[in-house]
Amino acid sequence: METQKIRKLLQQVADGGVSPDEAFGRLKTLPFEDLGFAKVDHHRAMRQGFPEVIFGQGKTAAQIARIAQAIYAQGAAVLVTRVSPEKAAEVKRLMPQLAHEPEARCLSAPAKQPPPPGKGKVAVVAAGTSDLPVALEAVLTAELMGSKVERVFDVGVSGLHRLLAAADVLRSASCFVVVAGMEGALPSVVAGLVDRPVVAVPTSIGYGAAFGGLAALLGMLNSCAPGLSVVNIDNGFGGGYLAGMIDHLG
Amino acid sequence: METQKIRKLLQQVADGGVSPDEAFGRLKTLPFEDLGFAKVDHHRAMRQGFPEVIFGQGKTAAQIARIAQAIYAQGAAVLVTRVSPEKAAEVKRLMPQLAHEPEARCLSAPAKQPPPPGKGKVAVVAAGTSDLPVALEAVLTAELMGSKVERVFDVGVSGLHRLLAAADVLRSASCFVVVAGMEGALPSVVAGLVDRPVVAVPTSIGYGAAFGGLAALLGMLNSCAPGLSVVNIDNGFGGGYLAGMIDHLG
Amino acid sequence: METQKIRKLLQQVADGGVSPDEAFGRLKTLPFEDLGFAKVDHHRAMRQGFPEVIFGQGKTAAQIARIAQAIYAQGAAVLVTRVSPEKAAEVKRLMPQLAHEPEARCLSAPAKQPPPPGKGKVAVVAAGTSDLPVALEAVLTAELMGSKVERVFDVGVSGLHRLLAAADVLRSASCFVVVAGMEGALPSVVAGLVDRPVVAVPTSIGYGAAFGGLAALLGMLNSCAPGLSVVNIDNGFGGGYLAGMIDHLG
Amino acid sequence: METQKIRKLLQQVADGGVSPDEAFGRLKTLPFEDLGFAKVDHHRAMRQGFPEVIFGQGKTAAQIARIAQAIYAQGAAVLVTRVSPEKAAEVKRLMPQLAHEPEARCLSAPAKQPPPPGKGKVAVVAAGTSDLPVALEAVLTAELMGSKVERVFDVGVSGLHRLLAAADVLRSASCFVVVAGMEGALPSVVAGLVDRPVVAVPTSIGYGAAFGGLAALLGMLNSCAPGLSVVNIDNGFGGGYLAGMIDHLG
Amino acid sequence: METQKIRKLLQQVADGGVSPDEAFGRLKTLPFEDLGFAKVDHHRAMRQGFPEVIFGQGKTAAQIARIAQAIYAQGAAVLVTRVSPEKAAEVKRLMPQLAHEPEARCLSAPAKQPPPPGKGKVAVVAAGTSDLPVALEAVLTAELMGSKVERVFDVGVSGLHRLLAAADVLRSASCFVVVAGMEGALPSVVAGLVDRPVVAVPTSIGYGAAFGGLAALLGMLNSCAPGLSVVNIDNGFGGGYLAGMIDHLG
Amino acid sequence: METQKIRKLLQQVADGGVSPDEAFGRLKTLPFEDLGFAKVDHHRAMRQGFPEVIFGQGKTAAQIARIAQAIYAQGAAVLVTRVSPEKAAEVKRLMPQLAHEPEARCLSAPAKQPPPPGKGKVAVVAAGTSDLPVALEAVLTAELMGSKVERVFDVGVSGLHRLLAAADVLRSASCFVVVAGMEGALPSVVAGLVDRPVVAVPTSIGYGAAFGGLAALLGMLNSCAPGLSVVNIDNGFGGGYLAGMIDHLG
Amino acid sequence: METQKIRKLLQQVADGGVSPDEAFGRLKTLPFEDLGFAKVDHHRAMRQGFPEVIFGQGKTAAQIARIAQAIYAQGAAVLVTRVSPEKAAEVKRLMPQLAHEPEARCLSAPAKQPPPPGKGKVAVVAAGTSDLPVALEAVLTAELMGSKVERVFDVGVSGLHRLLAAADVLRSASCFVVVAGMEGALPSVVAGLVDRPVVAVPTSIGYGAAFGGLAALLGMLNSCAPGLSVVNIDNGFGGGYLAGMIDHLG
Amino acid sequence: METQKIRKLLQQVADGGVSPDEAFGRLKTLPFEDLGFAKVDHHRAMRQGFPEVIFGQGKTAAQIARIAQAIYAQGAAVLVTRVSPEKAAEVKRLMPQLAHEPEARCLSAPAKQPPPPGKGKVAVVAAGTSDLPVALEAVLTAELMGSKVERVFDVGVSGLHRLLAAADVLRSASCFVVVAGMEGALPSVVAGLVDRPVVAVPTSIGYGAAFGGLAALLGMLNSCAPGLSVVNIDNGFGGGYLAGMIDHLG
């Protein structure tokens, strides 16, 4: 129920077309988001192509397909993350409209109406080849939101010159998603070179004292480079979503 | 050595005024940032009033005053965080230009030239009164950067109606800094209501299984609300800086 | 040996039918619970249908069936938790009286005599679809105890309006079991809306910094909403049992 | 704004006394809890004497007195926890109506109207003398809510016979708050003896591998005794509140 | 009530001097330990000089003196651990019978009747001078129990030859208490050299990744030397008590 | 080289049969244990039947059989722990002298000469049926060392009366191995009832906040019952070995 | 671009063959390492046979072979770590030049030109047989770098005499890699016996409170033996590389 | 007893001057280090000026002075770390030969005979000004060992150009000690630029999720830059000692 509908309902009460009691009943079951809060804007944004994500891990192919079809039917973009090749094949059999990106471990379909383009460019930077699945999840997410995405991959801190070789991208992107496992130092280095937001995504890549991404996570949280914030370990979607959102501001 | 100096040096080589060997020697000690990378943009931003932060804890009043004066002499904004009332008084005696905000535990001075205004408005939201020092550090940081800041304080999840009463702010801000200790649920709730970036700042407020902010930190990292990212525990400066940066984009 | 038996034994000593020495020997091996302590009430409660739980994980189908039959033979309710579909099928072949609820991963049989009904209604609230197995374990437990249970599922904090749409349940239940993984914020929100006991059940749902349910657990323990307490990660039985117990008080 | 007020407002619109636009304006600023949800019941309970707690640690005496007076002015019970003797004296100078219980580290004042009595009796059980401040905080909380409270103190698991000597209390209480530090085994033992809810409160008492209450907390969460749930380390208020709430059910 | 008393009670019932009902009433309140269980032996041991420990930390001098006097009045040995020099002086003013060992941070008084001597000799081995307070607490405990104690101090693993120089002690002791902080390797080395029980006591000595004794604790628990077991961090009393107990076996 | 050999070597030097230089060369490579230290006693003990343990996990059947045969050839007892049924069958094919105890997950063979009997009796107490493999590993170890072992199984703290029913064992054993997972409270309870050494063995049984045995381990380390010490999680061998060693003292 | 190329470029500017502007453009994209920093020396070292490591875990056989061939084509040594037997066979089919060392879980090929020999000798010391894969990875790494390597295996702290029997190696090696799991005490012991660098490599061998190598890691970090430093858990390559590097110094 | 003494003893046995039995008795008490093992070399090194460290924290001024004088009397270098200004003044009053470096929190005196100079140069690199005490402890240690030390301070990863400006030092040092707190990324960056050993020293500088240096420690352990190893948090002495040792090799 929209703000207009509340006004209209009150008008109907004033007009005598609806009794006070009946109006009260309707107001009582009024879903929260219809009170005219920001949520409405959010919904508008969603309709414009921001993907609704389906976390594929731990769901069956049938469950994934059912949810994906419901989203697809509304014309919204579909994004399924963390799907194994086998599950992806099974889902695609049930819903052939989805495209499969095996390296990103994602299935996706664009929104019916293309989303408004971003204001600038999102750079997704990844430290090692093992970090690519998480990085590509971020790439795909931001692209589904309408952002242009530049990839700067395999630029770990032990080979800084490769990062510096991407100076053009560093200079021009409006927002950065920096993905790294092990000691997780790359986001700090990038944030020290640029003056735009850096979304750091720790990954579970590593062994021993990496403790499943904890070392990278702590490293990023303790970065002394301003403009840097952190999302959950392996949360490529979260990084890409925030970057896409920032890229659409203004 | 600036970009212009490199050009000039090369010109001198072309002109024969400097031998190739001598030029090589000078280039070898060339500081990195002068190669025309993004760092230059960053410096430009700094000159425009982005504050350089001095972490006051563990520094003597004399050390703080000396660094602050160096920054102030360049015309840049000064921000000193985590200063006790006693230390603040001592620093102020040495450098009376600094203003003291005891609740934020900060000393500050604006840049000589006012920074460019932000594009919108930053909302700093805090869960409890004990979270205020961290929240006010974020407020002060964003304001020094030129952003307009709205305060929405004392709106913990156990009293959601107070948050909802701030619907106007939720609807209109371009970026949110949400500060909370204990279980740290407030950023999730805010991010579920708005469609703009939420910078979550966990605080060390709490006791027992709060483990110095760990519970709040983990809660925020695991939020399923997209658009949310996290900075270090009690890092009000980091939250305010990122929000101010986002507010100046576009 | 029951209280009556002790009285009878003492009577026999008084009557000379049993010598003091022989009576002493019997008393020495007297099981603790027969001394007339609260344990007796507990046993009475058990006979009234409170389920004795069999933790199925790590037990063979044969072991499960043997224990279940022993309980069943006493007329008590049987509840087996954490059984895989394969193991459940095997147990059912050995003991066809058990019903299998695959989503709850449980096998169960009601007590011979229906348990006394609860005083009110237990509400089991779950954040996400992945939390359902734990939530359904709680539902089944409370139902076996004789409580009426309302399900409020898929009402995570990122979509609060769905929770608020269940206002009738929130208003009418006598006790709440709130199941959530990831950041575990839902129990706090529910406890802020109601004034009856909320049993929070963290789940191991999540990834990365969820650390197998630790984030949710810490979040719930640090909740500032009074009336909330916590059981072990994934302990749906524990949540349902406590709620059923509270629902039978008075 | 109460349910009746909404009805009345709608009636006024129907009567023409209030224009639809003005009614809309009032509804828009309508605090959430007034929509007739369970919160209303909660408010009613609050008016009946359930204490609103002020966490004293980290607040100044002046801040505490100001909040306490606001609550007191509404006729509600006042409870301030974690106040040192010095701070308590200072608060009492500002607000002499408060009573100080130094062992419980609390200041309190009863509600203007005595709260409705509980249905039964709350038992607060504590393992060691060092656990007493937390236990007494629980006692005071439940008493302010109108519950009758029995104290069973100094009954650690290394001296079980002292616990068993309190068999009468174990048999008759409607709800238990069991407070223990170190290995935290006492709540398990109590929950194995009774068939009513046990709220376990771990304390930070101990040293070395007690890790500030972590050992006790984990022990309680892993208890295999059903009917037991846990609140935060040292959270005597939380334990007493939940017990008082359960004691008023039915 | 002693075993004999039960027999006597039963005899009185047989004699008709006590009615069965009255006997039942007495039996119902019968403290657990009087049933003739091992506890009785334990009490006997206590009377023979095994010290009852008073953990001094967090208790006032008055509280300590009151408990100590109660124990002393029964003729038992008194041991107060973790007392600062100031508190010790205050306690001694109240109870001059106590001896103060400042290095061990203990106050003590022997049992009225000397305890039976141990069967052999307890060796207390300490790695560094900072571990001495904990080691001396163990020494004092075992001595109060009647054991002969040999001290082997300052023999850390970085100077193994000093340990080997104590070969006579290693060869002749019946039980070892080995106290070490930092990496906690000493107990492993000792247990590899001897074939009698080694009680390992980790200490909180160290810094950084010692994490308050956690490193030493984990090292000792993971020792591959059989015959080694571990007590809590800094628990010199626990180590000395167990060693004294073993030394009295047989 | 044995003590006798050194004496003999020195005699040969005295006799002129061996030159001082040659003797020096032999002494320089002299293994440490031959210097007559306590190690020799340990070796003697080993020859008397104390088992040398082979940790089977992570070793191939061939490796296990090879090591086992080397020990067996010396006439010593053989104990292989943590072997799966499949691996056990394979090892037995290679070395049929080994007996397989599937519940204990062990293979074993007694020493050629029966070890000297223990002085008393070891009691192995286990909380739940899932703890049996660890408990049986302790039983087997102590029996191979020549100790008489009593089993007290399935006596968790939620059913204390079953423990108390074993009063005879509690009264008569010279040493206790108490095995428990989850909250690990059982060793505390046993140590509160007896006055002989209790070796606590935490197990990894449990889920959620059991954290693989950490909760049980911390609980046991924090026990306030004196005479209790702890070995590594699931270390049944370590518990049985220490108990057997204590049982042979005196 | 090499140092020579910069000199040449500058010469061309001096010669007029390249304009200053064009030279500036080329310099701007100049990779970092070409500025004549230490990196160049590093590259020289690499060409001399220092292995470039390929972490095999999580890479497909095809990916491994492709990277290995690229390194091999440059004449450098190839080292692939953490490859299962199956994957190793597959890689060897694609690239038969690689040698497989199954115990070390490595594939390798020497550099085309043999690396310069080390100055002394590297000793790789391992505590238990389960630590061998990590130790052998260190051996292979140092050997590929041209160092002579001595193996001292199976010398855990519970059998120190075996370590002491290797006195010749302890006396003569220039650097030590000491590999140990469980309590990780061996590096401390070795560092107490020698006065040359000891690189400690904790392994994930152990169970229970070993916590995947954490206990060994903490033990090594807390060693009081100077000259000892630590690399990541199971990082045999890191240990061998550092030792080989030290062995080539001077 | 030295190697020569053993030879002499054996000669005396051969000569008949000492009986075999008496010789055996002397050999049995033979301290380990006298067997001619590497320990002797270590002692030689110590006499050559390697400092023996006294950890000052937790020791009284009198204890420090007594140990320092014993070392000084042998002509060895003295180094006392972690001394507060007050304690340093007190120690100096007792032993005026010691020099006080307040920034390094150290007291020291050189060896009577200057130690042999290092082969090259040690570089001590520190990230922030707060890391200076730890870095200066490393500087002082290496200097006392005779190494030439270069300081490269205040070169955190957020200002890489300052590090690169120290290219000469990076190119010429034989070993690096790199000190950093917070995210601890600096050692990785340095190790990526040089091909000589890097000893990483994490510091406890930071707040929140720095967890007392844990974040820096984990970051350094997970570095993918080879040639890097780690010592304990804040262990400047350990870093300087290892670097000095490496600098003296060859």
Side-chain angles (χ1 to χ4, degrees), chain H residues 190-209:
Chain H
V190 171
L193 294 175
V194 305
D195 65 330
R196 268 136 295 135
V198 171
V199 187
V201 186
T203 72
S204 55
I205 296 303
Y207 62 92

Side-chain angles (χ1 to χ4, degrees), chain H residues 47-149:
Chain H
R47 281 195 304 271
Q48 291 166 357
F50 281 44
E52 176 132 348
V53 78
I54 303 167
F55 190 72
Q57 197 173 289
K59 294 206 178 66
T60 66
Q63 288 176 315
I64 291 171
R66 204 174 53 229
I67 306 175
Q69 275 158 336
I71 295 172
Y72 188 76
Q74 297 175 339
V78 176
L79 176 58
V80 192
T81 61
R82 313 265 178 116
V83 271
S84 65
E86 297 73 28
K87 204 185 280 181
E90 218 177 322
V91 175
K92 281 207 65 168
R93 243 198 352 266
L94 295 164
M95 185 173 169
Q97 303 94 327
L98 295 176
H100 182 213
E101 305 223 13
E103 266 194 302
R105 299 175 302 184
C106 289
L107 290 160
S108 67
K112 197 160 275 181
Q113 298 192 356
K119 299 293 186 304
K121 197 165 61 179
V122 167
V124 175
V125 184
T129 49
S130 315
D131 300 317
L132 283 194
V134 175
L136 289 168
E137 188 181 301
V139 167
L140 189 53
T141 302
E143 286 180 346
L144 280 173
M145 294 169 80
S147 287
K148 194 162 160 247
V149 180

